[in-house]
Amino acid sequence: KAGVTQTPRYLIKTRGQQVTLSCSPISGHRSVSWYQQTPGQGLQFLFEYFSETQRNKGNFPGRFSGRQFSNSRSEMNVSTLELGDSALYLCASSLGGAVSGANVLTFGAGSRLTVL
Amino acid sequence: LAKTTQPISMDSYEGQEVNITCSHNNIATNDYITWYQQFPSQGPRFIIQGYKTKVTNEVASLFIPADRKSSTLSLPRVSLSDTAVYYCLVEGAGSYQLTFGKGTKLSVIP
């Protein structure tokens, strides 16, 4: 079966711009969670959506937002980009909620964002 | 607040067994322990998950002592392709976010 698909894989933006990243989960998975990965901070949880509702949120400013559609596809948006937003953005899908212990996360390959 | 502590890096020769230990002193009753493997520029990949005692699959074993305050991922006979970062994740119902630690960078030497 198809895995988790993230688009675009690479993108370059300038400070002040905004960006939208897309994530298509594995068919049947209702949870999509998003992560930011940087060399300095490691893998950090952004938020999780389950059945179109944001269920959990990490410690990121309001510039980071997301949404989930009825087909479980999810998008995340970062507004007013800063240099420090340069990172690999990963999404993961799971059958049940991501933050519920026993569920296994399947990650996409990520979207590499560079902010100039 | 980090829930897990792992060694930052480990080196091993090809063909050896590698054990990576993760400390999770504040593990809750309903927390599961899950290990992921990540190669450069890829998303993490699930390796193994357990709750207590020992779990084994085709690629690894997971040992969890009775007090569950630590766990050990065991990779038998590693090869160069096992060079990656390994993350231990401890989460359960009641958490509000997933907390990945810094991971352990395993380097397999020929």
Side-chain angles (χ1 to χ4, degrees):
Chain A
K1 61 182 177 183
V4 177
T5 304
Q6 291 189 246
T7 57
R9 287 296 313 280
Y10 303 92
L11 66 166
I12 300 173
K13 295 285 186 178
T14 56
R15 279 181 299 175
Q17 287 186 312
Q18 74 164 13
V19 66
T20 299
L21 309 177
S22 179
C23 175
S24 294
I26 289 175
S27 178
H29 284 191
R30 297 167 65 187
S31 166
V32 174
S33 49
W34 288 87
Y35 307 82
Q36 181 195 65
Q37 187 170 37
T38 60
Q41 298 299 319
L43 196 58
Q44 294 184 287
F45 174 80
L46 280 158
F47 33 66
E48 179 199 7
Y49 286 86
F50 188 90
S51 294
E52 302 179 63
T53 301
Q54 185 180 89
R55 293 213 310 193
N56 298 289
K57 192 175 190 301
N59 299 322
F60 279 82
R63 299 187 297 109
F64 292 81
S65 63
R67 60 178 175 170
Q68 187 179 34
F69 302 95
S70 58
N71 61 358
S72 292
R73 189 178 71 86
S74 177
E75 290 181 346
M76 71 161 281
N77 183 275
V78 187
S79 62
T80 320
L81 285 167
E82 301 176 0
L83 295 179
D85 296 332
S86 294
L88 180 66
Y89 289 89
L90 294 157
C91 78
S93 75
S94 61
L95 273 172
V99 188
S100 60
N103 281 297
V104 172
L105 302 175
T106 302
F107 284 84
S111 293
R112 171 80 60 187
L113 171 64
T114 301
V115 182
L116 302 176
Chain B
L1 179 64
K3 294 185 70 171
T4 63
T5 303
Q6 304 173 231
I8 294 175
S9 64
M10 295 180 69
D11 293 336
S12 176
Y13 288 101
E14 271 191 298
Q16 289 189 327
E17 177 184 74
V18 170
N19 295 309
I20 305 174
T21 297
C22 179
S23 297
H24 28 80
N25 293 320
N26 297 320
I27 190 169
T29 303
N30 55 3
D31 284 347
Y32 281 75
I33 300 157
T34 311
W35 286 81
Y36 290 86
Q37 174 193 57
Q38 186 178 26
F39 298 111
S41 298
Q42 294 185 25
R45 184 179 70 172
F46 170 82
I47 302 174
I48 196 166
Q49 183 181 75
Y51 183 80
K52 61 181 179 180
T53 63
K54 176 184 174 182
V55 179
T56 298
N57 62 22
E58 62 275 10
V59 298
S61 294
L62 179 59
F63 299 92
I64 305 169
D67 66 6
R68 303 203 325 126
K69 293 185 183 299
S70 67
S71 58
T72 299
L73 172 72
S74 181
L75 304 172
R77 298 179 299 282
V78 293
S79 64
L80 295 177
S81 62
D82 293 317
T83 293
V85 178
Y86 292 82
Y87 294 95
C88 164
L89 181 65
V90 175
E91 296 293 345
S95 298
Y96 68 95
Q97 62 175 287
L98 292 177
T99 307
F100 283 85
K102 298 293 187 182
T104 298
K105 184 175 182 180
L106 172 65
S107 298
V108 179
I109 307 164

